[in-house]
Coordinates of all heavy atoms in Angstrom, one line a residue:
D162 N 92.1 132.1 94.0 CA 91.2 131.1 93.4 C 91.9 130.5 92.3 O 92.1 131.1 91.3 CB 89.8 131.7 93.0 CG 88.8 130.6 92.6 OD1 89.2 129.4 92.6 OD2 87.7 131.0 92.3
A163 N 92.2 129.2 92.3 CA 92.8 128.4 91.2 C 92.0 128.5 89.9 O 92.6 128.5 88.9 CB 93.2 127.0 91.7
Y164 N 90.7 128.4 90.1 CA 89.8 128.4 88.8 C 90.1 129.8 88.1 O 90.0 129.8 86.8 CB 88.3 128.3 89.2 CG 88.0 126.8 89.6 CD1 87.6 126.6 90.9 CD2 87.9 125.8 88.6 CE1 87.2 125.3 91.2 CE2 87.5 124.6 88.9 CZ 87.1 124.3 90.2 OH 86.7 123.0 90.5
N165 N 90.3 130.8 88.8 CA 90.5 132.1 88.2 C 92.0 132.3 87.9 O 92.5 133.4 87.5 CB 90.1 133.2 89.2 CG 89.8 134.6 88.5 OD1 89.4 134.5 87.3 ND2 90.2 135.6 89.1
Q166 N 92.8 131.3 88.2 CA 94.3 131.3 87.9 C 95.0 132.4 88.7 O 96.0 133.0 88.3 CB 94.6 131.5 86.4 CG 93.9 130.4 85.6 CD 94.2 130.4 84.2 OE1 95.3 130.5 83.7 NE2 93.1 130.4 83.3
D167 N 94.5 132.8 89.9 CA 95.1 133.8 90.7 C 96.4 133.3 91.3 O 97.4 134.1 91.5 CB 94.2 134.1 91.9 CG 92.9 134.7 91.4 OD1 92.9 135.5 90.4 OD2 91.9 134.6 92.1
N168 N 96.5 132.0 91.6 CA 97.6 131.5 92.4 C 98.2 130.2 91.7 O 98.6 129.3 92.3 CB 97.3 131.1 93.8 CG 96.0 130.3 93.8 OD1 95.4 130.0 92.8 ND2 95.6 129.9 95.0
T169 N 98.2 130.2 90.3 CA 98.7 129.0 89.6 C 99.8 129.5 88.6 O 99.8 130.7 88.2 CB 97.6 128.4 88.8 OG1 97.1 129.3 87.7 CG2 96.4 128.1 89.7
S170 N 100.6 128.6 88.2 CA 101.6 128.8 87.1 C 102.0 127.5 86.4 O 102.0 126.4 87.1 CB 102.8 129.5 87.7 OG 103.7 129.9 86.7
D171 N 102.3 127.6 85.2 CA 102.7 126.4 84.4 C 104.1 126.0 84.6 O 105.0 126.9 84.4 CB 102.4 126.5 83.0 CG 100.9 126.7 82.6 OD1 100.1 126.0 83.1 OD2 100.6 127.7 81.9
V172 N 104.4 124.7 84.8 CA 105.8 124.3 84.9 C 106.4 124.3 83.5 O 105.8 123.8 82.6 CB 106.0 122.9 85.5 CG1 107.3 122.4 85.5 CG2 105.3 122.9 86.9
I173 N 107.6 125.0 83.4 CA 108.2 125.1 82.0 C 109.5 124.3 81.9 O 110.0 123.9 80.8 CB 108.5 126.5 81.6 CG1 109.4 127.3 82.6 CG2 107.2 127.2 81.4 CD1 109.7 128.7 82.2
A174 N 110.1 123.9 83.1 CA 111.3 123.2 83.0 C 111.6 122.6 84.4 O 111.1 123.1 85.4 CB 112.5 124.0 82.6
L175 N 112.5 121.5 84.4 CA 112.9 120.8 85.6 C 114.4 120.9 85.7 O 115.1 120.5 84.7 CB 112.4 119.4 85.7 CG 110.8 119.3 85.7 CD1 110.5 117.7 85.6 CD2 110.2 119.9 86.9
G176 N 115.0 121.3 86.7 CA 116.4 121.3 86.9 C 116.9 120.0 87.5 O 116.2 119.2 87.8
A177 N 118.3 119.9 87.4 CA 118.9 118.8 88.0 C 118.8 118.8 89.5 O 119.0 119.8 90.2 CB 120.4 118.7 87.7
E178 N 118.5 117.6 90.1 CA 118.2 117.5 91.5 C 119.5 117.6 92.3 O 120.5 117.1 91.8 CB 117.4 116.2 91.9 CG 116.0 116.1 91.3 CD 115.3 115.0 91.8 OE1 115.8 114.1 92.6 OE2 114.1 114.9 91.5
T179 N 119.5 118.3 93.5 CA 120.6 118.3 94.3 C 120.7 117.1 95.2 O 119.7 116.5 95.5 CB 120.7 119.7 95.1 OG1 119.4 119.6 96.0 CG2 120.5 120.8 94.2
S180 N 121.8 116.8 95.7 CA 122.0 115.6 96.6 C 122.1 115.9 98.1 O 121.7 115.1 98.9 CB 123.3 114.9 96.1 OG 124.4 115.6 96.3
A181 N 122.5 117.0 98.4 CA 122.7 117.3 99.9 C 122.3 118.8 100.1 O 123.3 119.7 99.9 CB 124.0 116.9 100.4
P182 N 121.1 119.1 100.5 CA 120.0 118.3 100.7 C 119.3 117.9 99.4 O 119.6 118.5 98.4 CB 119.0 119.1 101.6 CG 119.4 120.5 101.1 CD 120.9 120.6 100.9
V183 N 118.5 116.9 99.4 CA 117.9 116.4 98.2 C 116.7 117.3 97.9 O 115.8 117.5 98.6 CB 117.3 115.0 98.3 CG1 116.6 114.6 97.1 CG2 118.4 114.0 98.6
E184 N 116.8 118.1 96.7 CA 115.8 119.0 96.3 C 115.6 119.0 94.8 O 116.6 118.6 94.1 CB 116.1 120.4 96.7 CG 116.3 120.6 98.3 CD 116.6 122.0 98.8 OE1 116.7 122.9 97.9 OE2 116.8 122.2 100.0
A185 N 114.4 119.3 94.3 CA 114.1 119.3 92.9 C 113.9 120.7 92.5 O 112.8 121.3 92.9 CB 113.0 118.4 92.7
P186 N 114.7 121.3 91.7 CA 114.4 122.7 91.1 C 113.3 122.7 90.1 O 113.2 121.9 89.2 CB 115.7 123.1 90.5 CG 116.7 122.1 90.9 CD 116.0 120.9 91.3
I187 N 112.3 123.5 90.3 CA 111.2 123.7 89.4 C 111.2 125.1 88.8 O 111.3 126.1 89.6 CB 109.9 123.4 90.2 CG1 109.8 122.2 91.0 CG2 108.7 123.5 89.3 CD1 110.0 120.9 90.2
Q188 N 111.1 125.1 87.5 CA 111.0 126.5 86.8 C 109.5 126.6 86.2 O 109.0 125.6 85.7 CB 112.0 126.5 85.7 CG 113.4 126.5 86.2 CD 114.4 126.5 85.0 OE1 114.2 127.2 84.0 NE2 115.5 125.8 85.2
F189 N 109.0 127.8 86.3 CA 107.6 127.9 86.0 C 107.4 129.4 85.4 O 108.3 130.2 85.5 CB 106.6 127.8 87.1 CG 107.0 128.5 88.4 CD1 106.5 129.7 88.6 CD2 107.9 127.9 89.3 CE1 106.9 130.4 89.8 CE2 108.2 128.6 90.4 CZ 107.7 129.8 90.7
T190 N 106.3 129.6 84.8 CA 106.0 131.0 84.1 C 106.0 131.9 85.3 O 105.4 131.7 86.4 CB 104.6 130.9 83.4 OG1 104.7 129.9 82.4 CG2 104.3 132.3 82.9
A191 N 106.7 133.0 85.2 CA 106.8 134.1 86.2 C 105.5 134.4 86.8 O 104.5 134.7 86.1 CB 107.6 135.3 85.7
R192 N 105.4 134.4 88.1 CA 104.1 134.6 88.8 C 104.4 135.2 90.1 O 105.2 134.6 90.9 CB 103.3 133.4 88.9 CG 102.1 133.4 89.9 CD 101.0 134.2 89.5 NE 100.3 133.6 88.4 CZ 99.1 134.0 87.8 NH1 98.7 135.2 88.3 NH2 98.6 133.4 86.8
K193 N 103.7 136.2 90.5 CA 103.7 136.7 91.9 C 102.6 136.1 92.6 O 101.4 136.6 92.4 CB 103.7 138.2 92.0 CG 103.8 138.8 93.4 CD 103.7 140.3 93.4 CE 103.8 140.8 94.9 NZ 103.7 142.3 94.9
F194 N 102.8 135.1 93.4 CA 101.7 134.4 94.1 C 101.2 135.4 95.2 O 101.9 136.0 95.9 CB 102.3 133.1 94.8 CG 102.5 132.1 93.7 CD1 103.8 131.9 93.2 CD2 101.5 131.3 93.2 CE1 104.1 130.9 92.3 CE2 101.8 130.3 92.2 CZ 103.1 130.1 91.8
P195 N 99.9 135.5 95.3 CA 99.2 136.4 96.2 C 99.5 136.2 97.7 O 99.6 137.1 98.5 CB 97.8 136.4 95.9 CG 97.6 135.0 95.2 CD 98.8 134.7 94.6
L196 N 99.5 134.9 98.1 CA 99.6 134.5 99.4 C 100.5 133.4 99.7 O 100.6 132.5 99.0 CB 98.1 134.1 100.0 CG 97.1 135.2 99.9 CD1 95.7 134.5 100.3 CD2 97.3 136.3 100.9
E197 N 101.2 133.5 100.8 CA 102.2 132.5 101.2 C 101.5 131.4 102.0 O 100.6 131.7 102.9 CB 103.3 133.1 102.0 CG 104.4 132.1 102.3 CD 105.6 132.7 102.9 OE1 105.6 134.0 103.1 OE2 106.6 132.0 103.3
S198 N 101.8 130.2 101.8 CA 101.2 129.1 102.5 C 101.8 129.0 103.9 O 103.0 129.0 104.0 CB 101.4 127.7 101.9 OG 101.0 126.7 102.6
P199 N 101.1 129.0 105.0 CA 101.7 128.9 106.3 C 102.5 127.6 106.6 O 103.4 127.5 107.3 CB 100.4 128.9 107.3 CG 99.4 129.7 106.5 CD 99.6 129.2 105.1
A200 N 102.0 126.6 105.8 CA 102.7 125.2 105.9 C 103.7 125.0 104.8 O 104.3 124.0 104.7 CB 101.7 124.1 105.8
R201 N 104.0 126.1 103.9 CA 105.0 126.1 102.9 C 104.6 125.0 101.9 O 105.4 124.3 101.3 CB 106.4 125.8 103.4 CG 106.8 126.7 104.6 CD 106.7 128.1 104.3 NE 107.3 129.0 105.4 CZ 106.6 129.8 106.1 NH1 105.3 129.9 106.0 NH2 107.3 130.5 107.0
R202 N 103.3 124.8 101.7 CA 102.9 123.8 100.8 C 102.7 124.3 99.3 O 102.3 125.4 99.0 CB 101.6 123.2 101.2 CG 101.6 122.4 102.5 CD 100.2 121.8 102.7 NE 100.1 121.0 104.0 CZ 99.0 120.5 104.5 NH1 97.9 120.7 103.9 NH2 99.1 119.8 105.6
V203 N 102.9 123.4 98.4 CA 102.6 123.6 96.9 C 101.9 122.4 96.5 O 102.3 121.2 96.8 CB 103.9 123.9 96.2 CG1 104.8 122.8 96.2 CG2 103.5 124.2 94.7
H204 N 100.9 122.5 95.6 CA 100.1 121.5 95.1 C 100.4 121.4 93.5 O 100.6 122.5 93.0 CB 98.6 121.5 95.3 CG 98.3 121.3 96.7 ND1 98.2 122.3 97.7 CD2 97.9 120.2 97.5 CE1 97.9 121.9 98.8 NE2 97.6 120.6 98.7
V205 N 100.4 120.2 93.0 CA 100.6 120.2 91.6 C 99.4 119.4 90.8 O 99.0 118.4 91.2 CB 101.9 119.3 91.2 CG1 102.2 119.2 89.8 CG2 103.1 119.9 91.9
V206 N 98.9 120.2 89.8 CA 97.8 119.7 89.1 C 98.3 119.2 87.7 O 99.1 119.8 87.0 CB 96.8 120.9 88.7 CG1 95.6 120.5 87.9 CG2 96.3 121.5 90.1
P207 N 97.8 117.9 87.3 CA 98.3 117.4 86.0 C 97.9 118.2 84.8 O 96.7 118.7 84.8 CB 97.7 116.0 86.1 CG 96.5 116.1 86.9 CD 96.8 117.0 88.0
K208 N 98.7 118.3 83.8 CA 98.4 119.1 82.6 C 97.2 118.6 81.9 O 96.5 119.3 81.2 CB 99.6 119.1 81.7 CG 100.1 117.8 81.2 CD 101.3 118.0 80.3 CE 101.8 116.6 79.8 NZ 103.0 116.8 78.9
D209 N 97.0 117.3 81.9 CA 95.9 116.7 81.1 C 94.5 116.7 81.8 O 93.5 116.4 81.1 CB 96.3 115.2 80.6 CG 97.5 115.3 79.7 OD1 97.7 116.1 79.0 OD2 98.3 114.2 79.9
E210 N 94.6 116.9 83.1 CA 93.3 116.9 83.9 C 93.3 118.0 84.9 O 93.5 117.8 86.1 CB 93.1 115.5 84.6 CG 92.9 114.3 83.7 CD 92.5 113.1 84.4 OE1 92.6 113.1 85.7 OE2 92.0 112.2 83.8
K211 N 93.0 119.2 84.4 CA 93.1 120.4 85.2 C 91.7 120.5 85.9 O 91.6 121.1 87.0 CB 93.5 121.6 84.4 CG 94.9 121.6 84.0 CD 95.3 122.9 83.2 CE 96.7 122.8 82.8 NZ 97.1 124.0 82.0
V212 N 90.7 120.0 85.3 CA 89.3 120.0 85.9 C 88.7 118.7 85.6 O 88.7 118.2 84.5 CB 88.4 121.2 85.4 CG1 87.1 121.1 86.0 CG2 89.1 122.5 85.7
V213 N 88.1 118.1 86.6 CA 87.4 116.8 86.4 C 86.0 117.0 86.9 O 85.7 117.6 87.9 CB 88.0 115.7 87.3 CG1 87.1 114.4 87.3 CG2 89.4 115.3 86.7
A214 N 85.0 116.5 86.0 CA 83.6 116.7 86.3 C 82.8 115.4 86.2 O 83.2 114.6 85.3 CB 83.0 117.7 85.3
Y215 N 82.0 115.1 87.2 CA 81.1 114.0 87.2 C 79.7 114.4 87.0 O 79.2 115.4 87.7 CB 81.2 113.1 88.4 CG 82.4 112.3 88.6 CD1 83.6 112.7 89.2 CD2 82.4 111.0 88.0 CE1 84.7 111.9 89.3 CE2 83.6 110.2 88.0 CZ 84.7 110.6 88.7 OH 85.8 109.8 88.8
V216 N 79.0 114.0 85.8 CA 77.7 114.5 85.5 C 76.9 113.3 85.2 O 77.2 112.4 84.6 CB 77.8 115.4 84.3 CG1 76.4 116.0 83.9 CG2 78.8 116.5 84.4
C217 N 75.6 113.4 85.8 CA 74.6 112.4 85.5 C 73.5 113.0 84.6 O 72.9 114.1 84.9 CB 73.9 112.0 86.8 SG 72.7 110.5 86.6
S218 N 73.4 112.4 83.4 CA 72.4 112.9 82.4 C 72.1 111.8 81.5 O 72.9 110.9 81.1 CB 73.2 114.0 81.6 OG 72.2 114.5 80.6
G219 N 70.8 111.8 81.2 CA 70.3 110.9 80.1 C 70.5 109.4 80.6 O 70.6 108.5 79.7
G220 N 70.4 109.1 81.8 CA 70.6 107.7 82.3 C 72.0 107.2 82.3 O 72.2 106.1 82.5
N221 N 72.9 108.1 82.2 CA 74.4 107.7 82.2 C 75.2 108.6 83.2 O 74.8 109.8 83.4 CB 75.0 107.8 80.9 CG 74.4 106.9 79.9 OD1 74.2 105.7 80.2 ND2 74.0 107.4 78.7
L222 N 76.2 108.1 83.8 CA 77.1 108.9 84.7 C 78.4 109.1 83.9 O 79.1 108.1 83.5 CB 77.4 108.1 86.0 CG 78.4 108.9 86.9 CD1 77.8 110.1 87.4 CD2 78.6 107.9 88.2
Y223 N 78.8 110.3 83.6 CA 80.0 110.6 82.8 C 81.1 111.2 83.7 O 80.8 111.9 84.7 CB 79.6 111.6 81.8 CG 78.7 111.1 80.8 CD1 77.3 111.5 80.9 CD2 79.0 110.4 79.6 CE1 76.3 111.1 80.0 CE2 78.1 110.0 78.7 CZ 76.8 110.3 78.9 OH 75.8 110.0 77.9
R224 N 82.3 110.9 83.3 CA 83.5 111.6 83.9 C 84.3 112.2 82.8 O 84.7 111.6 81.8 CB 84.5 110.5 84.5 CG 85.7 111.2 85.2 CD 86.7 110.1 85.6 NE 87.8 110.6 86.4 CZ 88.9 111.1 85.8 NH1 89.1 111.1 84.5 NH2 89.9 111.6 86.6
T225 N 84.4 113.5 82.9 CA 85.0 114.4 81.9 C 86.2 115.1 82.4 O 86.1 115.7 83.6 CB 84.1 115.4 81.4 OG1 82.9 114.8 80.8 CG2 84.7 116.2 80.2
A226 N 87.3 115.1 81.8 CA 88.6 115.8 82.1 C 88.8 116.8 81.2 O 88.8 116.7 80.0 CB 89.7 114.7 82.2
S227 N 89.1 118.0 81.7 CA 89.3 119.2 80.9 C 90.7 119.8 81.2 O 91.2 119.7 82.3 CB 88.2 120.3 81.2 OG 88.6 121.4 80.4
T228 N 91.3 120.5 80.2 CA 92.6 121.1 80.4 C 92.5 122.6 80.6 O 93.4 123.3 80.7 CB 93.5 120.9 79.1 OG1 92.8 121.3 78.0 CG2 93.8 119.4 79.0
A229 N 91.2 123.1 80.7 CA 90.9 124.6 80.8 C 90.3 124.8 82.2 O 89.4 124.2 82.7 CB 90.0 125.0 79.8
L230 N 90.8 125.8 82.9 CA 90.3 126.3 84.1 C 89.3 127.4 83.9 O 89.6 128.4 83.2 CB 91.5 126.8 85.0 CG 92.5 125.8 85.5 CD1 93.6 126.5 86.2 CD2 91.9 124.8 86.5
T231 N 88.1 127.2 84.4 CA 87.1 128.2 84.1 C 86.5 128.6 85.5 O 86.3 127.8 86.4 CB 85.8 127.7 83.2 OG1 85.4 126.5 83.9 CG2 86.4 127.3 81.9

Side-chain angles (χ1 to χ4, degrees):
D162 187 359
Y164 283 112
N165 199 38
Q166 303 180 53
D167 298 327
N168 49 0
T169 69
S170 185
D171 296 309
V172 176
I173 57 176
L175 302 172
E178 295 188 357
T179 62
S180 57
V183 179
E184 298 181 4
I187 308 295
Q188 297 178 33
F189 50 91
T190 304
R192 160 77 69 177
K193 183 179 179 181
F194 289 97
L196 297 171
E197 184 175 358
S198 168
R201 312 303 189 245
R202 289 182 179 178
V203 59
H204 292 88
V205 181
V206 177
K208 63 180 180 180
D209 297 327
E210 292 191 345
K211 292 181 180 177
V212 178
V213 168
Y215 282 95
V216 183
C217 188
S218 178
N221 297 310
L222 178 64
Y223 297 95
R224 180 188 187 274
T225 303
S227 173
T228 58
L230 295 171
T231 57

